[in-house]
Amino acid sequence: MKIVELGDVLKYEQPTRYIVRSEDYDDSYEIPVLTAGKSFLLGKTNEKDNVYDNHPVIIFDDFTTAFHYVDFPFKVKSSAMKLLKEDSDRADLKYLYHKMKTISFDAKQHKRYWISKYSKIKIPLPDLATQQAIVRKLDTAQKLCDLSQTLIEKYEKLSQSLFLEMFGDPVTNPKGWEVKKLEELGTLERGRSTHRPRNAPELLGGKYPLIQTGDVANSNGYIRKYNSTYSELGLLQSRIWKTGTLCITIAANIAKTGILMFDACFPDSIVGFTPNNEMTTNLYVQYWMSFLQKIIEESAPESAQKNINLAILRDLDIPVPPIELQNQFAENIAEIEKQKALAEQELAKSERLFAALLQESFS
């Protein structure tokens, strides 16, 4: 089997001519705007000139070495990437893409990597027929992952649609529900972290879960895990919030929410909401806020980073349907979440299968 450098079988193109002129994106537009980073799809543009259409292609972030396989026309936001195409006489692009997934690379320095280092990485290159057989096997496994992911997304959309069906648009309030200030429906309190610096070593490493804004933003509605803990000293300058508390971020990630699934502490960049159970539920407030999140974020003042204060949250107008209807919504969501959890289990199984096949194919 031949050993080749990636740069021998992947030729790059600079993306300069495909850079979008305006960042005025809208979902109604046709052309995707991509980044090679984690977010991938930044939005859609109505600019139809200089669209990259020589797909499939690998888009490669020159600074982080993140990459994606793209098989549709697109534009890009910046020049901080390479567009990689295969030498089709010797290599299958999808094979190279899968092989790159197995490469461990340290990209801690802020520098461009493709030309200087990454393209020089050596890989085994079997004959073209063997490459294509490996791709077919991995693509079949990937389809199982995609099916489960699509089902999860359908359940998420179903939950949003159910809210609109039962309560109407929370911005325009077409059903004419009574409107109250959010502070009238329960207690809003900022988290606590009085010690400075906040990350002093003696505050951390104990048994008390510590939730940060990123944990809330990435929770998908329910905070089930944590990455930090407080020590006894850390707890003394904070407090514990009970399971079921609705966490709302007010700094960096604005108006993102998650319901605590365990007792935990959190800093003053997060607000805890405890409902008056005779008037509302955490779940209703959470879904209501999900429709307003972008509005709240766009109106947030920005200094070093965007943030809102407790007064802004307390003063928000919220339609208040009958509590019986809110409880019915919660019961329906619980059933949807059960089905979604099953789909997530299937996704996890499919991802493990894919990982095993990937390792087997390139070991």
Side-chain angles (χ1 to χ4, degrees):
M1 185 183 301
K2 293 181 180 178
I3 302 297
V4 301
E5 292 185 354
L6 278 173
D8 292 335
V9 287
L10 280 172
K11 304 306 177 184
Y12 74 87
E13 179 183 357
Q14 299 288 8
T16 309
R17 63 175 299 194
Y18 311 110
I19 295 175
V20 71
R21 293 186 299 275
S22 169
E23 295 181 27
D24 185 18
Y25 307 139
D26 193 286
D27 288 343
S28 66
Y29 295 153
E30 183 179 347
I31 306 300
V33 180
L34 305 183
T35 174
K38 186 177 181 180
S39 53
F40 185 46
L41 177 61
L42 298 175
K44 293 184 177 180
T45 180
N46 58 356
E47 297 176 21
K48 295 187 177 181
D49 59 320
N50 294 324
V51 174
Y52 185 88
D53 59 5
N54 188 24
H55 53 82
V57 65
I58 296 172
I59 59 174
F60 179 90
D61 189 310
D62 221 359
F63 290 92
T64 69
T65 72
F67 55 90
H68 295 276
Y69 182 90
V70 184
D71 57 2
F72 51 82
F74 62 92
K75 290 181 75 70
V76 302
K77 180 184 176 182
S78 77
S79 61
M81 67 165 69
K82 295 286 191 291
L83 306 174
L84 305 179
K85 290 289 293 183
E86 81 281 20
D87 176 349
S88 58
D89 291 335
R90 292 192 291 163
D92 183 282
L93 185 68
K94 201 71 169 289
Y95 171 85
L96 298 174
Y97 166 72
H98 287 309
K99 175 56 187 173
M100 287 168 65
K101 288 181 181 178
T102 69
I103 294 173
S104 178
F105 189 88
D106 183 356
K108 292 179 181 177
Q109 292 181 296
H110 185 72
K111 57 182 283 188
R112 291 184 180 270
Y113 283 105
W114 175 257
I115 295 175
S116 63
K117 289 189 176 181
Y118 205 98
S119 66
K120 295 177 171 41
I121 293 174
K122 294 183 178 181
I123 64 165
L125 191 73
D127 62 79
L128 199 55
T130 301
Q131 295 176 50
Q132 291 166 346
I134 289 172
V135 168
R136 286 193 296 271
K137 178 174 62 175
L138 291 174
D139 279 354
T140 299
Q142 184 61 54
K143 285 178 182 177
L144 295 176
C145 297
D146 294 343
L147 285 172
S148 294
Q149 184 61 50
T150 298
L151 187 56
I152 291 168
E153 291 169 1
K154 285 182 177 179
Y155 283 129
E156 291 172 349
K157 290 179 180 177
L158 178 60
S159 298
Q160 296 282 335
S161 298
L162 180 63
F163 182 96
L164 292 173
E165 179 184 329
M166 294 182 69
F167 306 119
D169 186 329
V171 178
T172 60
N173 191 21
K175 295 183 181 285
W177 306 118
E178 180 183 7
V179 175
K180 292 182 177 292
K181 298 296 183 183
L182 183 56
E183 68 175 347
E184 298 179 71
L185 301 185
T187 304
L188 285 157
E189 299 176 279
R190 290 184 73 164
R192 190 178 302 162
S193 52
T194 59
H195 190 281
R196 297 295 182 273
R198 297 173 190 267
N199 61 346
E202 62 270 22
L203 302 180
L204 306 173
K207 64 179 181 179
Y208 304 104
L210 170 61
I211 299 303
Q212 304 283 7
T213 56
D215 298 317
V216 180
N218 297 318
S219 68
N220 201 22
Y222 298 90
I223 303 170
R224 305 180 190 276
K225 59 184 180 180
Y226 53 91
N227 297 304
S228 300
T229 58
Y230 270 146
S231 64
E232 295 291 342
L233 184 61
L235 178 62
L236 285 176
Q237 54 88 59
S238 185
R239 61 166 283 191
I240 292 177
W241 298 79
K242 295 297 183 183
T243 301
T245 298
L246 177 63
C247 297
I248 306 169
T249 60
I250 60 172
N253 301 290
I254 303 297
K256 298 286 189 177
T257 64
I259 295 175
L260 274 179
M261 303 303 287
F262 47 83
D263 294 354
C265 303
F266 48 78
D268 52 11
S269 53
I270 299 173
V271 168
F273 176 74
T274 306
N276 177 339
N277 292 325
E278 295 181 359
M279 300 179 70
T280 195
T281 68
N282 269 346
L283 195 66
Y284 173 79
V285 173
Q286 180 182 45
Y287 272 82
W288 162 78
M289 187 160 284
S290 72
F291 285 94
L292 272 70
Q293 190 270 329
K294 289 189 180 299
I295 297 173
I296 296 171
E297 184 175 46
E298 288 171 359
S299 65
E302 188 168 5
S303 49
Q305 64 179 10
K306 283 196 170 188
N307 64 87
I308 58 175
N309 56 41
L310 194 54
I312 291 174
L313 284 181
R314 286 174 172 162
D315 197 48
L316 291 173
D317 291 323
I318 174 172
V320 188
I323 188 63
E324 294 80 10
L325 197 61
Q326 295 184 49
N327 287 333
Q328 182 184 339
F329 174 71
E331 291 172 5
N332 292 337
I333 290 297
E335 290 301 316
I336 293 173
E337 287 295 324
K338 285 181 183 178
Q339 298 305 313
K340 180 181 167 186
L342 293 175
E344 288 171 339
Q345 291 174 15
E346 288 301 315
L347 176 60
K349 290 180 184 177
S350 298
E351 288 176 337
R352 287 195 295 271
L353 172 62
F354 181 88
L357 290 174
L358 188 68
Q359 183 177 8
E360 175 188 285
S361 298
F362 294 105
S363 60

